[in-house]
Amino acid sequence: MPSDSPKPVPLAGWGRYPRSQAVALRPERMGELRLPVGQVIARGQGRSYGDAALNAGRTVVLTERLNRMVSFDAATGVLRAEAGVTLGDILTTFVPRGWFLPVTPGTKYVSLGGAVACDVHGKNHHKEGGFGEYTRELLMMLADGSTVTCSPDRDPELFWATVGGMGLTGVILEVTVRLNPIRSAQIRASNHPVHNLQEALRLMSDPATDDDYSVCWLDTTRTGRSMGKGVLIVGHHAPQHPAPSTQHPPSPLPPHRRDAPRIPVLAPVPLLNRPAVRAFNIWYDAMNKAKGDYLCHYDPFFYPLDFVGGWNLLYGPGGLLQYQIVVPDRDAEAVLRDVLARLQRAGMVSFLTVLKRMGPEGRGYLSFPKEGWTLTLDMPIGKNKSLFAALDDVDRELVKIGGRVYLAKDSRLKPEAFAAMYPRLDAFRAVKRRVDPEGVFTSDLSRRLAI
């Protein structure tokens, strides 16, 4: 390699596990983007947890500088923007104008291109579906360097292979998405204590307690009849902003603040260990179950973890593994109870565990959501050698019941389990062969799962 060739740099996902080295290219403008010789994958804000945006020994194209808003139709809410624009950028710009994201995950620090590539979902999937359902059009660079436009009507096979396709069909350059109108930046929310998993599932299915947005925090230190104890949090956009008071700012549509404190250094050991998790759960339960009905800004409602920048550093040098699964409605309580029990027996502690309802399956060939229930757990990897074996056992049970693991969070799923969980894989591969016959777009994830 010539001495002036770019040197590989270490990269990791948000979970900081695994890690690999790749040449990183960062174009400043769209016109500077050229695909290098060899295999490549695009990377937005690096918020996928595992190895989806890693490419060991190859090239990673950083799209964070491709972050310009291109156009906005104030009559329809249709926004066209470069793929490196973050969801936080969109909120900062358009909440004051009365527009909000139709679907948002649990952090606003993801790129628009990443939101499409992972077909992200949020607290409203049971009513609104995933991000891809609101994506109108994509401008892409394909493996031969050409640029194409695809949409649900224009080359729909390429479009739905790209929505949830983990960046393996090409580089997403621009995204056209429809925003939703709002009249207030406030959320009318209510909290409901739940005593166990059975009650959580019942309340989340009950129209009397359901709402536009719904999520249930679970205390995974609980066992027996209290397994699944937690707090159900539901809400909707306030129809109008209340009269200004000492509690509410005078502007009806203030965006979020940008000055979140940051964890300054990597913790030398996992600080979110069993005693810390137990203490956190006791505090969280006491703080939230007493809230009842309340009004809050959208920022703490949707993005509570964004209030601490670099919170992933608290998991120490070993990193964290976020394990997100979806299980069908049938026998959901028994299945979820079995999953929690298996992981408890493996010595697992999860700092933050949430349960959400999922609506009908998305149209992306590799999209994660399907109708049922999704459970998400954050677990320190540390020295817990039994964790991966326990997750392999859970994966096998998921295959039997038609469940699946979310690729945007994954770093250890086996290829045979993946193929069984994603029955539209052959349709995805057919599109991949058409637009990328030489396999230019690859990642550590795609090689691990033989996509």
Side-chain angles (χ1 to χ4, degrees):
M1 177 181 293
S3 59
D4 57 349
S5 298
K7 297 184 182 301
V9 296
L11 293 170
W14 187 247
R16 305 187 71 256
Y17 172 88
R19 299 159 200 165
S20 66
Q21 293 203 352
V23 171
L25 304 179
R26 187 170 65 184
E28 298 290 325
R29 293 182 175 277
M30 195 85 76
E32 298 177 5
L33 178 59
R34 302 286 187 277
L35 292 182
V37 175
Q39 295 176 320
V40 61
I41 193 72
R43 176 185 173 105
Q45 293 290 313
R47 285 290 177 140
S48 57
Y49 280 72
D51 51 2
L54 305 184
N55 212 8
R58 297 164 176 85
T59 303
V60 173
V61 174
L62 309 177
T63 63
E64 59 202 69
R65 297 287 175 82
L66 309 180
N67 59 351
R68 295 160 183 84
M69 308 282 186
V70 178
S71 65
F72 180 68
D73 185 335
T76 63
V78 174
L79 168 68
R80 183 182 174 194
E82 293 182 350
V85 168
T86 68
L87 301 190
D89 294 334
I90 294 173
L91 293 170
T92 300
T93 304
F94 292 101
V95 164
R97 303 185 191 186
W99 297 95
F100 200 80
L101 297 162
V103 170
T104 180
T107 174
K108 56 184 176 289
Y109 298 124
V110 302
S111 68
L112 201 48
V116 173
C118 299
D119 194 14
V120 298
H121 58 276
K123 299 177 176 67
N124 59 348
H125 190 275
H126 61 303
K127 294 197 173 185
E128 301 295 339
F131 198 85
E133 297 299 322
Y134 299 87
T135 303
R136 297 290 186 86
E137 194 173 85
L138 299 174
L139 177 65
M140 301 179 59
M141 178 174 283
L142 299 184
D144 61 2
S146 63
T147 56
V148 300
T149 299
C150 61
S151 72
D153 301 315
R154 184 175 180 179
D155 198 345
E157 292 82 10
L158 175 59
F159 181 82
W160 292 117
T162 303
V163 171
M166 309 307 296
L168 297 173
T169 55
V171 179
I172 300 173
L173 301 176
E174 291 180 358
V175 178
T176 302
V177 61
R178 179 178 65 78
L179 307 182
N180 283 344
I182 56 171
R183 299 186 64 184
S184 168
Q186 303 288 317
I187 300 294
R188 175 66 68 184
S190 58
N191 290 4
H192 307 270
V194 297
H195 297 93
N196 51 44
L197 186 59
Q198 181 183 44
E199 186 177 26
L201 295 171
R202 179 177 62 79
L203 289 179
M204 296 176 79
S205 302
D206 187 345
T209 42
D210 190 22
D211 209 327
D212 292 348
Y213 301 102
S214 170
V215 62
C216 189
W217 158 80
L218 302 180
D219 179 354
T220 52
T221 66
R222 301 285 180 157
T223 60
R225 297 180 63 180
S226 65
M227 178 182 282
K229 176 181 168 61
V231 179
L232 169 62
I233 303 168
V234 300
H236 57 269
H237 291 279
Q240 60 184 15
H241 195 75
S245 70
T246 56
Q247 289 183 307
H248 305 296
S251 169
L253 295 161
H256 57 271
R257 297 172 58 184
R258 292 175 177 267
D259 53 347
R262 288 191 60 82
I263 302 297
V265 295
L266 175 67
V269 296
L271 298 180
L272 301 180
N273 50 27
R274 183 175 294 277
V277 170
R278 189 179 297 278
F280 170 80
N281 280 304
I282 292 173
W283 169 80
Y284 191 91
D285 180 60
M287 184 186 72
N288 284 282
K289 72 181 182 182
K291 277 190 173 180
D293 298 335
Y294 59 99
L295 200 61
C296 68
H297 191 266
Y298 72 80
D299 208 26
F301 182 83
F302 289 106
Y303 314 112
L305 288 179
D306 285 350
F307 274 72
V308 182
W311 59 266
N312 56 339
L313 300 178
L314 295 173
Y315 283 83
L320 84 117
L321 193 150
Q322 186 169 97
Y323 186 62
Q324 183 169 2
I325 61 174
V326 61
V327 302
D329 276 320
R330 189 181 63 182
D331 301 326
E333 181 188 348
V335 172
L336 293 172
R337 180 177 287 276
D338 178 66
V339 171
L340 292 173
R342 284 174 182 269
L343 296 177
Q344 286 178 345
R345 288 195 296 271
M348 178 278 300
V349 292
S350 173
F351 177 69
L352 192 64
T353 305
V354 296
L355 178 70
K356 296 193 291 279
R357 282 182 67 199
M358 304 294 274
E361 188 166 25
R363 288 182 282 178
Y365 298 155
L366 297 185
S367 288
F368 165 74
K370 63 185 300 185
E371 190 153 11
W373 300 86
T374 182
L375 181 71
T376 307
L377 305 103
D378 283 355
M379 296 170 284
I381 296 175
K383 298 180 180 178
N384 188 349
K385 303 300 183 186
S386 62
L387 175 61
F388 282 26
L391 294 179
D392 288 343
D393 290 341
V394 174
D395 292 343
R396 283 189 280 272
E397 296 303 313
L398 289 175
V399 168
K400 293 177 185 176
I401 63 167
R404 65 177 55 140
V405 171
Y406 192 11
L407 298 184
K409 312 292 181 70
D410 178 54
S411 56
R412 32 67 51 197
L413 186 65
K414 299 289 197 312
E416 58 273 17
F418 160 70
M421 291 174 179
Y422 285 83
R424 292 176 289 182
L425 176 59
D426 285 345
F428 175 85
R429 284 172 169 162
V431 176
K432 174 80 171 171
R433 285 193 295 270
R434 172 167 67 89
V435 299
D436 185 14
E438 303 299 325
V440 169
F441 295 105
T442 65
S443 64
D444 288 2
L445 178 142
S446 73
R447 284 184 289 278
R448 175 170 54 83
L449 296 179
I451 298 177

